[in-house]
Amino acid sequence: MKLDETTIEKRLLHLPDWDYYDNAIHAEFEFDNFKDCFSAMSRIAFECEAQNHHPNWSNTYNILKITLSTHDEDGVTLKDFKLAEAIEAIVEVED
Protein backbone atom coordinates (compact mmCIF):
# COMPACT_ATOMS: atom_id res chain seq x y z
CA MET A 1 0.00 0.00 0.00
CA LYS A 2 1.34 3.43 -0.98
CA LEU A 3 2.27 5.57 2.03
CA ASP A 4 1.17 9.18 2.41
CA GLU A 5 3.74 11.98 2.61
CA THR A 6 3.32 12.49 6.38
CA THR A 7 4.00 8.80 7.07
CA ILE A 8 7.00 8.84 4.74
CA GLU A 9 8.48 11.92 6.44
CA LYS A 10 8.01 10.36 9.89
CA ARG A 11 9.72 7.13 8.83
CA LEU A 12 12.59 9.09 7.29
CA LEU A 13 13.42 10.50 10.73
CA HIS A 14 14.99 7.09 11.41
CA LEU A 15 16.91 7.15 8.11
CA PRO A 16 18.82 10.46 8.04
CA ASP A 17 20.73 9.50 4.86
CA TRP A 18 17.48 9.33 2.90
CA ASP A 19 15.28 12.05 1.37
CA TYR A 20 11.81 11.95 -0.17
CA TYR A 21 11.17 13.64 -3.52
CA ASP A 22 9.86 12.73 -6.97
CA ASN A 23 7.57 10.06 -5.45
CA ALA A 24 10.55 8.00 -4.17
CA ILE A 25 13.13 7.86 -1.39
CA HIS A 26 16.73 8.60 -2.32
CA ALA A 27 20.16 8.23 -0.74
CA GLU A 28 23.76 8.82 -1.77
CA PHE A 29 26.66 7.00 -0.13
CA GLU A 30 30.36 7.78 -0.50
CA PHE A 31 33.01 5.11 0.00
CA ASP A 32 36.80 5.27 0.21
CA ASN A 33 37.24 3.82 -3.27
CA PHE A 34 35.53 1.97 -6.10
CA LYS A 35 36.27 -1.47 -4.65
CA ASP A 36 34.53 -0.68 -1.36
CA CYS A 37 31.57 0.79 -3.21
CA PHE A 38 31.26 -2.23 -5.48
CA SER A 39 31.56 -4.57 -2.50
CA ALA A 40 28.62 -2.82 -0.82
CA MET A 41 26.64 -2.96 -4.06
CA SER A 42 27.22 -6.72 -4.27
CA ARG A 43 25.97 -7.24 -0.73
CA ILE A 44 22.98 -4.96 -1.36
CA ALA A 45 22.18 -6.97 -4.51
CA PHE A 46 21.86 -10.18 -2.46
CA GLU A 47 19.52 -8.41 -0.03
CA CYS A 48 17.44 -7.09 -2.94
CA GLU A 49 17.04 -10.61 -4.29
CA ALA A 50 16.10 -11.92 -0.83
CA GLN A 51 13.41 -9.25 -0.51
CA ASN A 52 12.44 -9.46 -4.20
CA HIS A 53 12.56 -5.67 -4.34
CA HIS A 54 15.07 -3.83 -6.49
CA PRO A 55 16.36 -0.25 -6.49
CA ASN A 56 17.16 2.13 -9.25
CA TRP A 57 20.81 2.86 -8.60
CA SER A 58 23.94 4.25 -10.16
CA ASN A 59 27.60 4.12 -9.29
CA THR A 60 30.31 6.60 -10.24
CA TYR A 61 33.71 5.58 -8.84
CA ASN A 62 33.16 5.72 -5.04
CA ILE A 63 29.63 7.19 -5.04
CA LEU A 64 26.49 5.05 -4.91
CA LYS A 65 23.12 6.70 -5.57
CA ILE A 66 19.98 4.72 -4.73
CA THR A 67 16.32 5.43 -5.47
CA LEU A 68 13.54 3.30 -4.01
CA SER A 69 9.86 3.20 -4.90
CA THR A 70 7.31 0.48 -5.48
CA HIS A 71 6.30 0.56 -9.14
CA ASP A 72 3.15 -1.53 -8.60
CA GLU A 73 1.88 1.06 -6.09
CA ASP A 74 3.23 4.11 -7.94
CA GLY A 75 4.97 5.41 -4.84
CA VAL A 76 6.75 4.62 -1.60
CA THR A 77 5.59 1.63 0.47
CA LEU A 78 6.79 -0.29 3.50
CA LYS A 79 8.78 -2.51 1.11
CA ASP A 80 10.94 0.51 0.28
CA PHE A 81 11.59 1.28 3.93
CA LYS A 82 12.41 -2.35 4.69
CA LEU A 83 15.00 -2.36 1.91
CA ALA A 84 16.36 1.08 2.90
CA GLU A 85 16.89 -0.17 6.45
CA ALA A 86 18.74 -3.24 5.17
CA ILE A 87 20.88 -1.06 2.88
CA GLU A 88 21.74 1.18 5.85
CA ALA A 89 22.91 -1.86 7.84
CA ILE A 90 25.08 -3.03 4.94
CA VAL A 91 26.62 0.40 4.33
CA GLU A 92 27.34 0.92 8.05
CA VAL A 93 29.43 -2.27 8.05
CA GLU A 94 31.52 -0.79 5.21
CA ASP A 95 32.44 2.30 7.26
Side-chain angles (χ1 to χ4, degrees), residues 31-42:
F31 298 85
D32 289 339
N33 53 52
F34 176 76
K35 178 180 64 72
D36 289 349
C37 186
F38 192 81
S39 172
M41 290 178 73
S42 295

Side-chain angles (χ1 to χ4, degrees), residues 27-38 41 57-66:
E28 183 174 304
F29 301 101
E30 183 175 352
F31 298 85
D32 289 339
N33 53 52
F34 176 76
K35 178 180 64 72
D36 289 349
C37 186
F38 192 81
M41 290 178 73
W57 63 0
S58 66
N59 159 241
T60 305
Y61 182 59
N62 66 330
I63 304 290
L64 174 59
K65 295 180 181 179
I66 301 175

Side-chain angles (χ1 to χ4, degrees), residues 17-78:
D17 292 328
W18 296 78
D19 294 305
Y20 173 68
Y21 57 90
D22 295 339
N23 212 25
I25 56 175
H26 307 264
E28 183 174 304
F29 301 101
E30 183 175 352
F31 298 85
D32 289 339
N33 53 52
F34 176 76
K35 178 180 64 72
D36 289 349
C37 186
F38 192 81
S39 172
M41 290 178 73
S42 295
R43 299 214 320 258
I44 291 167
F46 281 101
E47 184 62 35
C48 294
E49 283 296 298
Q51 293 190 25
N52 193 29
H53 193 48
H54 303 88
N56 289 331
W57 63 0
S58 66
N59 159 241
T60 305
Y61 182 59
N62 66 330
I63 304 290
L64 174 59
K65 295 180 181 179
I66 301 175
T67 299
L68 295 175
S69 68
T70 304
H71 301 291
D72 297 353
E73 298 289 339
D74 192 35
V76 177
T77 68
L78 291 176

